[in-house]
Amino acid sequence: MSATSVSHRSAVRDTASEVPSRKNVRQQEVLRLLPRPLLIVIIAVLCAAVLLPLLYIFLASLNNDSSIARGDFWPESWTLENYSKIWVNVGLANGLINSVLVAGCTAVVSAAMSVGTAYVLVRYTFVGRITILRGLLGLQSVPGTLMLLPVFVVFSSAKTYLGITVIGTQWGLFLTYLTFALPFSTWVMVTYLRGLPRELEEAARIDGASNLGVLFKIIVPLSWPGIVVSGIFAFLLGWNDVLFASVMTRPDSQTAAVALQLFGASTEGGAIPYYGQMMASALVCAAPVVILYLIFQRYLVGGLTAGGVK
């Protein structure tokens, strides 16, 4: 084993050992800024502002519609019928499958492509590099509403000129989300890779690693927090979208967000809307996102704060 590989491994261990100490320093800085009693009060108020609406939604999902319409916070009668009815009345099963498939593919592809793109933009100098970086940043300021008609016209033209049906398909919706997710994911990875030391790459090149070897053996293992952040934000883009999904899909390819919107619109003319089923559907649709955050929480903290402290 060469000396450079040993130094490379020791550098990685030193970088990992610095993480707990940085966390302790940040906690001490927060305690110096705010007294502990005031900090407890602020945290309690913030938690109540987030948890009370969730508690109401959960209790309403176990209540009947007439009791919810009267404004009762505590359920009049506890029932799980709302959770059994949503699979038939809302059509949530098909919507969830389409949402997981489209949003998951968008997250994986955008995160994978953004790593290589960001590595080239950060580590190599070529004509147009600054223009591309400024373009990625400028694309974030364009509202998605303004892009609805151009994207629809371009994709619908594929049927006429190429004989390919894009509108109404799952992969067409995937391409739509990838159009907006990839610039953001690339910019997140550019910010993250700027904070990685070049010495690790130089040590790997001395050991004979190629450009792809450096990318897959050095950059990717060290960039997991940034990759997870870019992937989760891309997943949320596809999971929460209603505007593009309502235009680019058909009944067999609509997502869960569109199914909820259609269900809510169809019950507005009734005497009492199906409040309980709406609340139950909202909780079921929010569960995958919550589980995703709980699984990748430790990566999210490091990825979001990357580049903030040098």
Side-chain angles (χ1 to χ4, degrees):
M1 183 182 297
S2 61
T4 54
S5 60
V6 175
S7 61
H8 162 61
R9 293 183 178 181
S10 61
V12 174
R13 288 195 299 268
D14 294 340
T15 304
S17 62
E18 292 178 358
V19 176
S21 60
R22 291 179 181 177
K23 292 182 179 179
N24 295 332
V25 171
R26 292 173 184 172
Q27 293 176 357
Q28 294 175 1
E29 291 177 353
V30 172
L31 293 177
R32 284 200 300 267
L33 292 175
L34 296 174
R36 184 176 292 274
L38 181 60
L39 185 62
I40 294 175
V41 172
I42 293 176
I43 294 176
V45 171
L46 294 177
C47 291
V50 175
L51 296 179
L52 284 179
L54 294 178
L55 178 61
Y56 176 76
I57 294 175
F58 173 71
L59 294 177
S61 67
L62 302 175
N63 201 355
N64 56 69
D65 298 329
S66 60
S67 178
I68 300 174
R70 290 195 303 267
D72 297 341
F73 183 81
W74 199 257
E76 181 182 17
S77 59
W78 300 81
T79 177
L80 294 175
E81 292 183 356
N82 295 322
Y83 288 94
S84 61
K85 291 180 179 179
I86 58 176
W87 306 106
V88 178
N89 298 337
V90 185
L92 203 58
N94 182 59
L96 285 175
I97 293 174
N98 291 329
S99 293
V100 170
L101 182 62
V102 175
C105 292
T106 303
V108 173
V109 174
S110 63
M113 295 180 64
S114 63
V115 177
T117 305
Y119 178 70
V120 173
L121 292 174
V122 172
R123 292 295 189 253
Y124 296 92
T125 303
F126 52 90
V127 178
R129 171 177 170 271
I130 302 300
T131 304
I132 295 175
L133 291 173
R134 292 175 179 173
L136 292 175
L137 185 61
L139 287 175
Q140 306 306 315
S141 61
V142 180
T145 309
L146 298 179
M147 300 297 296
L148 178 61
L149 182 59
V151 170
F152 180 81
V153 171
V154 170
F155 285 176
S156 61
S157 300
K159 177 66 175 178
T160 304
Y161 297 102
L162 302 177
I164 302 175
T165 302
V166 181
I167 303 297
T169 61
Q170 294 175 340
W171 68 272
L173 189 61
F174 158 73
L175 291 178
T176 303
Y177 292 151
L178 189 63
T179 304
F180 298 97
L182 188 56
F184 178 79
S185 299
T186 303
W187 186 257
V188 170
M189 292 308 304
V190 165
T191 305
Y192 190 87
L193 293 183
R194 283 175 175 171
L196 295 182
R198 294 176 178 266
E199 289 76 9
L200 299 178
E201 303 173 33
E202 295 174 355
R205 294 184 187 279
I206 293 176
D207 287 343
S210 61
N211 293 331
L212 291 178
V214 171
L215 178 62
F216 289 105
K217 295 180 180 180
I218 303 298
I219 299 300
V220 172
L222 294 177
S223 303
W224 273 115
I227 295 174
V228 170
V229 168
S230 61
I232 287 181
F233 274 93
F235 182 86
L236 292 178
L237 174 66
W239 188 267
N240 297 327
D241 175 70
V242 179
L243 182 63
F244 286 92
S246 60
V247 176
M248 305 290 293
T249 59
R250 296 172 181 171
D252 58 337
S253 60
Q254 67 183 12
T255 60
V258 178
L260 287 178
Q261 183 193 34
L262 296 177
F263 177 72
S266 63
T267 59
E268 289 180 355
I272 299 178
Y274 298 138
Y275 291 118
Q277 296 183 41
M278 292 181 186
M279 300 301 179
S281 301
L283 288 179
V284 172
C285 291
V289 179
V290 175
I291 295 173
L292 197 65
Y293 269 101
L294 292 177
I295 294 175
F296 297 105
Q297 182 180 8
R298 63 191 186 98
Y299 293 106
L300 283 171
V301 176
L304 289 174
T305 58
V309 180
K310 296 294 183 182

